[in-house]
């Protein structure tokens, strides 16, 4: 009898070792892993650069709390800002849902407004704030009253967006995935994003892009926002950030970031040394080794096969 709660539908397969694109089970059967730990192991399992960085860090220091300065956090934050390609500051946490909680708090604190507009079929996480942002009834059901202040619009519907953003003065932010992941893999239309950026700029409404799943090379650029050529006010990250060591992060433009002053938000484990060592090695691998060029090349291979008329 299992002593684990029954909240996951698990496959009857126990993975004991993993390397690169392959995993091995208890019976020594080898599998090509197409799951990547749900968009986490973007560099494959146990990439040498990340493994070595974590091993080296294990012998230095694991955890100090955020009561002290942390040069490794500074380094990863600087790498993220360079990767995103716009000025900003970073907060570290441990997961995607926590990154979205921080983003919601930051948007409300900065704007002094409450409403967060998100989209049907979206997925932002399982804690109360992120769950409320998630536009799926099946995720909400059975958990009582949701956090107030969330409105859902149909995705890719510019008319509905214009109607909402021009008539509601209580909106702090619009929160979205650029490719809805858990909701069924729906990419945002570029005309929809153009409308969103224009409206939000005019109405001083923040844009929060949840790149928890689309980040770190998943869409052919380091971040999906780069496909749409805009920089959101707030971007949330996790999954691929440390390639399997738990880590999350929130990027915000400088003015927005300044709303988090000492005591306003925090996380005991956030920016943990082992996670930061892994994240720094992940970002270095993604940005300096030709990895992204290879991703783009492979993308063309797939498009060439699946949809021959599509430019890549
Ligand atoms: C997975 C996911 C989350 C939640 O991340 P956790 O680390 O499981 O909390 C949030 N947003 C998106 C888009 C995701 O795909």
């Amino acid at each position: 009898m299992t002593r684990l709660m029954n909240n996951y539908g698990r496959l009857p397969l126990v993975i004991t070792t993993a390397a690169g694109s392959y995993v091995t089970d208890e019976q020594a059967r080898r599998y090509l892993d197409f799951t990547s730990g749900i968009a986490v192991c973007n560099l494959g399992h146990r990439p040498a650069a990340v493994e070595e960085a974590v091993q080296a860090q294990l012998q230095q220091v694991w955890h100090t709390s955020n009561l002290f300065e942390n040069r490794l956090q500074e380094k990863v934050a600087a790498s993220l800002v360079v990767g995103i390609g716009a000025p900003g500051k970073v907060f570290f946490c441990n997961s995607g849902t926590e990154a979205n909680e921080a983003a919601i708090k930051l948007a409300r604190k900065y704007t002094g407004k409450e409403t967060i507009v998100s989209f049907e079929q979206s997925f932002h996480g399982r804690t109360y704030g992120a769950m409320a942002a998630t536009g799926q009834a099946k995720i909400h059901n059975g958990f009582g009253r949701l956090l107030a202040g969330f409105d859902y619009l149909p995705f890719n519907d510019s008319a509905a967006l214009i109607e909402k953003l021009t008539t509601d003065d209580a909106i702090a932010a619009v929160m979205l995935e650029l490719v809805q992941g858990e909701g069924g893999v729906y990419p945002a239309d570029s005309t929809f994003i153009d409308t969103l950026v224009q409206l939000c700029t005019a109405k001083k409404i923040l844009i929060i892009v949840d790149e928890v799943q689309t980040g770190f090379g998943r869409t052919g650029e380091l971040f999906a926002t780069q496909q749409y050529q805009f920089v959101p006010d707030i971007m949330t990250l996790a999954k691929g950030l440390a390639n399997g060591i738990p880590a999350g992060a929130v990027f915000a433009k400088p003015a927005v970031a300044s709303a988090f002053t000492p005591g306003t938000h925090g996380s005991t484990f956030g920016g943990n040394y082992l996670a930061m060592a892994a994240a720094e090695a992940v970002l270095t691998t993604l940005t300096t080794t030709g990895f992204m060029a290879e991703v783009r090349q492979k993308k063309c291979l797939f498009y060439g096969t699946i949809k021959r008329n599509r430019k890549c």
Side-chain angles (χ1 to χ4, degrees):
M1 189 189 77
T2 178
R3 294 278 180 210
L4 298 176
M5 288 194 195
N6 195 29
N7 58 317
Y8 301 109
R10 293 177 192 267
L11 295 169
L13 178 69
V14 181
I15 293 159
T16 49
T17 57
S21 304
Y22 290 90
V23 297
T24 307
D25 74 3
E26 281 179 316
Q27 277 80 41
R29 282 181 297 221
R30 200 160 166 257
Y31 301 85
L32 179 57
D33 181 7
F34 280 101
T35 67
S36 304
I38 315 182
V40 168
C41 303
N42 291 1
L43 301 177
H45 292 281
R46 297 175 45 218
V50 181
E51 187 163 296
E52 281 158 24
V54 175
Q55 264 165 358
Q57 190 58 49
L58 263 174
Q59 287 163 12
Q60 292 178 26
V61 59
W62 300 2
H63 174 85
T64 60
S65 84
N66 284 307
L67 296 172
F68 303 99
E69 289 197 9
N70 186 317
R71 297 208 198 289
L72 197 45
Q73 282 184 15
E74 295 277 358
K75 212 167 157 186
V76 178
S79 300
L80 280 172
V81 169
V82 169
I84 290 164
K89 290 186 182 243
V90 176
F91 164 78
F92 287 111
C93 52
N94 313 284
S95 66
T97 203
E98 278 175 81
N100 287 330
E101 293 294 325
I104 293 162
K105 287 177 71 174
L106 185 62
R108 285 183 166 184
K109 189 126 202 322
Y110 175 73
T111 59
K113 295 181 177 180
E114 194 169 285
T115 302
I116 309 283
V117 170
S118 68
F119 295 93
E120 292 163 8
Q121 300 113 226
S122 61
F123 183 80
H124 298 294
R126 303 283 193 166
T127 51
Y128 271 93
M131 177 172 73
T134 295
Q136 299 189 56
K138 69 171 192 217
I139 306 276
H140 301 160
N141 287 343
F143 296 110
R145 266 179 297 179
L146 296 180
L147 181 64
F150 290 81
D151 286 332
Y152 316 105
L153 295 180
F155 194 52
N156 279 335
D157 185 336
S158 295
L161 187 72
I162 293 167
E163 160 76 19
K164 177 72 178 169
L165 268 54
T166 52
T167 55
D168 187 339
D169 285 331
I171 303 173
V174 175
M175 183 169 184
L176 77 162
E177 300 152 89
L178 290 173
V179 181
Q180 291 188 327
E182 302 302 305
V185 190
Y186 299 111
D189 295 337
S190 56
T191 53
F192 178 70
I193 298 303
D194 289 346
T195 306
L196 174 74
V197 172
Q198 251 171 29
L199 272 173
C200 286
T201 308
K203 304 284 291 179
K204 293 190 166 44
I205 294 168
L206 300 182
I207 300 178
I208 304 172
V209 174
D210 178 343
E211 289 239 26
V212 169
Q213 186 152 164
T214 53
F216 308 104
R218 274 279 150 192
T219 70
E221 296 292 337
L222 204 50
F223 300 105
T225 38
Q226 291 161 345
Q227 305 273 18
Y228 293 85
Q229 297 179 326
F230 76 106
V231 179
D233 301 287
I234 302 176
M235 185 192 287
T236 59
L237 301 164
K239 292 200 166 98
L241 171 57
N243 207 74
I245 309 292
V250 180
F251 162 91
K253 287 181 176 171
V256 178
S258 68
F260 270 178
T261 51
T264 48
H265 193 57
S267 163
T268 299
F269 287 131
N272 168 272
Y273 274 96
L274 300 178
M276 291 297 101
E280 181 56 18
V282 166
L283 290 166
T284 303
T285 306
L286 288 173
T287 53
T288 64
T289 61
F291 181 88
M292 287 309 302
E294 205 182 316
V295 168
R296 280 178 217 118
Q297 223 179 341
K298 287 176 180 167
K299 178 174 109 176
C300 287
L301 281 177
F302 277 101
Y303 274 138
T305 320
I306 298 164
K307 222 174 183 179
R308 288 191 185 279
N309 60 353
R310 183 147 180 174
K311 265 199 286 181
C312 51

